[in-house]
Amino acid sequence: MTYLAPRQGLFAIIILVSFCLQTLLLVISTDQQLTKSREQKGEQMVAQLIDEARLSLENKDRVSLSVIANRYTSEQDVARIVIKDSNDEILVPVGNAPMQQGDTISQMATKGDAVIGSVALTLKDISKGEIIAMQWPFVIGSLIFHLFLWLLYGYVARPTKEQINALSRDIQDLHREQYVQSGQLSYGRAPNENYTEERDSATGSNDTLNSTVNNNVNNDTATPSDETGKTNKVSAAGIHDELNAYLKSQQTNSSDSQTSSNTSTDMTQSSRSTSTVNSSTDAQASTGIDSSSAHKFISSASKLSANRAFDTVSVQIMFHDEYDMLERLAPEMRMPYLALCTQLLNQAMTELLKQPLLLGVSVVNEPRFDEVGACAVLKADNSHAKAALAGVMLGKLYLMLNKIIHEKHIELSRFALPAKAGVSDEAQTQAMTQLLKSVGRKEQMLILLPNSGLKQIGSHVQVKSLKRPTTVYERECAVFDGVNDAMIQRLATVRNAVLMTGTEDEEQEIAD
């Protein structure tokens, strides 16, 4: 016969409460994460909207403002955009979704020190049902896991045969004790008598009966009525003696059975412990270390080592294109823009390596821009060449040039994108690519170099650590935070030389 686990219904209630709490915590954490990401995205959209609409806002061009705002309302997270002038009068209200109101992000639009207007962007509320629909694999998996725990408990917690036998023996012993107590209380009572006190102990009663029997045997001068009483007393004493003998035999049998059960239990536990020891020994014997996997671990750890050697530096330039605008751009407009960025980067490398400070640093490849960006590789030809400093200077120089080009294109209502840069040694190129995609920001430069590279740039460049790092690479990565006056002058000189070279090339093309 199969018995159920004890309190299986109570355990089912606990499992249900655990599943509900886990789902609630999942919804709360996802809501917080989505809220933070949407707020950051909204702030970036407002800043970009102000940059694009500054000229139209200054002229109070409602048509241009409406066209610019409509592009942003196509995002599914945006519910409404309101653009106001400096007198707080509404110029363009775009998007009317009163049932989907949410957090509003407002920012003043300024030109110099003058306030020319303001922009208010309203984000849609996050629905709890949408969160659960997004996380349905986790919810269903958690439900299945909790059901599996409940079934596993019902199978594991069932009483074994040994426990059932021990429980039956305890019940039999309890019934036997109750029977003995009831027999001792009822013995010697008359049919019409009611006793209010308990009977004496078994030893005292035995002594009393023995003394009564002896007195009856020694009394030879009794009357016939006394003989009849003697006979009744002798029969009662015999019955009591037989009952005591039976009880003693039962107690002896029960003690022997208990001793045998304890012995069998000890033998079972010893056999289980022996099998446990053998299984643990076999598990330890079967456990081994793969030399190839250990070698891979050591090699990956060497890539993260702060004392690794390097002679090649990779400078990665990426477009800060949050909304994939470059992919949507027509090829006849995208290709000239990428060609301009490529020419700008190559001229920057050429002019920068003319500096005496970077003597001994050479270019390994000829970088070209595509939809993602470009990667320039610099190499130190001797032990005194400062390849790390050259890479940081090249990244900062291109960011300065790209900012000028970007602002000029925006003024002319042409397409342009901001950029971000990353400088790393050759071993950390892929890691830097992932860092630029995950934590890189507009007009920011990330640096992932060993200690020797940081020493090269330490006297010229100031860096800071990333806030709240979540991975090993984020903890090792540094963020460009500024340069000294001498480096600023060098970069400004190279920047002007690059811009003058570009102007001369355009004039030469016009003359030809």
Side-chain angles (χ1 to χ4, degrees):
M1 183 177 180
T2 303
Y3 293 87
L4 297 177
R7 298 184 180 181
Q8 193 168 0
L10 179 60
F11 187 77
I13 296 174
I14 295 174
I15 288 292
L16 181 61
V17 172
S18 173
F19 171 74
C20 294
L21 289 177
Q22 190 174 9
T23 306
L24 179 62
L25 293 176
L26 172 68
V27 171
I28 292 174
S29 62
T30 307
D31 189 7
Q32 291 180 354
Q33 293 177 359
L34 291 177
T35 301
K36 290 181 181 179
S37 63
R38 286 156 67 99
E39 287 178 356
Q40 294 177 358
K41 182 178 178 180
E43 291 176 358
Q44 294 176 358
M45 291 174 65
V46 169
Q48 188 171 357
L49 177 59
I50 291 175
D51 292 336
E52 294 182 4
R54 183 174 283 110
L55 183 60
S56 301
L57 185 61
E58 184 179 4
N59 298 328
K60 295 183 179 181
D61 187 357
R62 297 175 183 267
V63 177
S64 300
L65 292 175
S66 177
V67 172
I68 295 173
N70 280 325
R71 293 206 309 267
Y72 290 89
T73 54
S74 61
E75 296 290 334
Q76 61 179 0
D77 296 334
V78 178
R80 183 180 174 85
I81 296 176
V82 178
I83 302 176
K84 299 179 181 180
D85 59 4
S86 59
N87 297 326
D88 205 20
E89 294 181 359
I90 297 177
L91 296 177
V92 175
V94 179
N96 188 8
M99 299 302 294
Q100 296 180 350
Q101 293 293 336
D103 297 333
T104 301
I105 301 173
S106 301
Q107 186 173 346
M108 304 298 294
T110 60
K111 184 177 182 181
D113 296 332
V115 177
I116 61 176
S118 63
V119 175
L121 185 143
T122 303
L123 299 174
K124 296 179 183 178
D125 284 332
I126 301 173
S127 174
K128 303 300 185 296
E130 293 178 357
I131 294 176
I132 295 178
M134 290 168 53
Q135 301 291 338
W136 68 267
F138 178 84
V139 175
I140 294 178
S142 177
L143 178 60
I144 295 174
F145 177 74
H146 283 82
L147 289 176
F148 175 76
L149 284 180
W150 182 69
L151 295 175
L152 183 63
Y153 170 79
Y155 177 78
V156 173
R158 289 184 303 175
T160 60
K161 292 182 179 180
E162 291 81 7
Q163 293 175 347
I164 294 173
N165 293 332
L167 183 61
S168 64
R169 286 194 298 270
D170 294 337
I171 293 174
Q172 290 177 1
D173 294 337
L174 179 62
H175 283 290
R176 188 181 296 114
E177 290 176 0
Q178 292 178 354
Y179 174 77
V180 171
Q181 291 178 1
S182 62
Q184 289 178 355
L185 290 174
S186 62
Y187 176 74
R189 294 181 182 176
N192 297 326
E193 290 180 348
N194 293 322
Y195 291 93
T196 58
E197 296 179 357
E198 294 183 354
R199 193 178 177 276
D200 296 332
S201 62
T203 306
S205 62
N206 290 333
D207 295 338
T208 303
L209 290 172
N210 292 328
S211 62
T212 304
V213 171
N214 293 328
N215 291 330
N216 291 329
V217 172
N218 294 326
N219 192 358
D220 295 331
T221 60
T223 59
S225 61
D226 294 335
E227 291 177 358
T228 304
K230 290 178 182 178
T231 303
N232 294 333
K233 291 180 180 179
V234 170
S235 62
I239 293 172
H240 188 70
D241 291 336
E242 291 178 359
L243 181 61
N244 287 334
Y246 173 76
L247 292 177
K248 289 180 181 180
S249 63
Q250 292 294 329
Q251 290 178 359
T252 303
N253 294 331
S254 63
S255 62
D256 292 338
S257 63
Q258 185 175 3
T259 303
S260 62
S261 64
N262 292 334
T263 304
S264 62
T265 303
D266 295 337
M267 293 177 65
T268 305
Q269 291 179 355
S270 62
S271 63
R272 288 180 180 176
S273 62
T274 304
S275 62
T276 304
V277 171
N278 293 332
S279 62
S280 63
T281 305
D282 296 337
Q284 291 178 358
S286 61
T287 303
I289 299 176
D290 190 0
S291 60
S292 62
S293 61
H295 179 70
K296 292 180 181 179
F297 177 78
I298 293 173
S299 62
S300 62
S302 64
K303 290 183 180 181
L304 290 173
S305 175
N307 297 322
R308 60 185 182 273
F310 76 101
D311 58 353
T312 305
V313 174
S314 298
V315 182
Q316 301 184 46
I317 311 295
M318 285 190 179
F319 295 115
H320 189 73
D321 191 5
E322 295 181 334
Y323 307 107
D324 297 331
M325 299 175 63
L326 188 60
E327 294 181 357
R328 304 174 185 175
L329 195 65
E332 58 270 14
M333 297 180 63
R334 180 173 63 249
M335 299 308 295
Y337 177 70
L338 295 177
L340 174 63
C341 295
T342 302
Q343 182 182 2
L344 197 66
L345 179 59
N346 290 325
Q347 290 179 357
M349 285 193 302
T350 302
E351 296 294 333
L352 182 65
L353 296 181
K354 294 179 181 179
Q355 296 291 318
L357 183 63
L358 305 179
L359 187 63
V361 179
S362 60
V363 180
V364 177
N365 66 337
E366 185 178 355
R368 291 185 177 277
F369 273 88
D370 53 12
E371 287 76 4
V372 178
C375 180
V377 182
L378 304 178
K379 183 180 180 181
D381 298 332
N382 52 62
S383 59
H384 301 287
K386 299 180 179 180
L389 182 60
V392 173
M393 292 179 67
L394 178 60
K396 183 58 180 176
L397 176 62
Y398 186 81
L399 291 179
M400 295 168 60
L401 294 170
N402 187 80
K403 186 176 182 180
I404 296 174
I405 299 299
H406 179 261
E407 292 178 352
K408 188 65 176 178
H409 278 66
I410 294 300
E411 290 179 1
L412 299 175
S413 300
R414 295 181 180 178
F415 176 81
L417 288 173
K420 51 188 175 182
V423 181
S424 65
D425 55 334
E426 188 176 4
Q428 301 293 350
T429 303
Q430 295 182 355
M432 177 54 68
T433 304
Q434 297 297 327
L435 287 173
L436 286 174
K437 292 179 180 179
S438 59
V439 300
R441 296 182 179 180
K442 180 175 64 175
E443 304 296 339
Q444 188 182 63
M445 181 165 58
L446 304 180
I447 302 173
L448 188 60
L449 294 172
N451 289 336
S452 56
L454 295 177
K455 288 181 181 179
Q456 288 185 16
I457 66 174
S459 58
H460 304 280
V461 179
Q462 291 83 35
V463 296
K464 62 181 180 181
S465 301
L466 284 172
K467 295 181 180 179
R468 295 183 294 274
T470 57
T471 62
V472 178
Y473 293 111
E474 291 181 10
R475 187 174 65 248
E476 298 293 332
C477 182
V479 181
F480 181 88
D481 196 32
V483 293
N484 54 19
D485 295 337
M487 185 60 64
I488 290 176
Q489 293 178 0
R490 288 191 182 96
L491 291 175
T493 303
V494 178
R495 179 197 61 189
N496 296 333
V498 172
L499 294 177
M500 291 298 295
T501 303
T503 304
E504 292 176 357
D505 292 341
E506 291 180 357
E507 293 178 354
Q508 185 66 30
E509 291 178 357
I510 294 173
D512 294 340

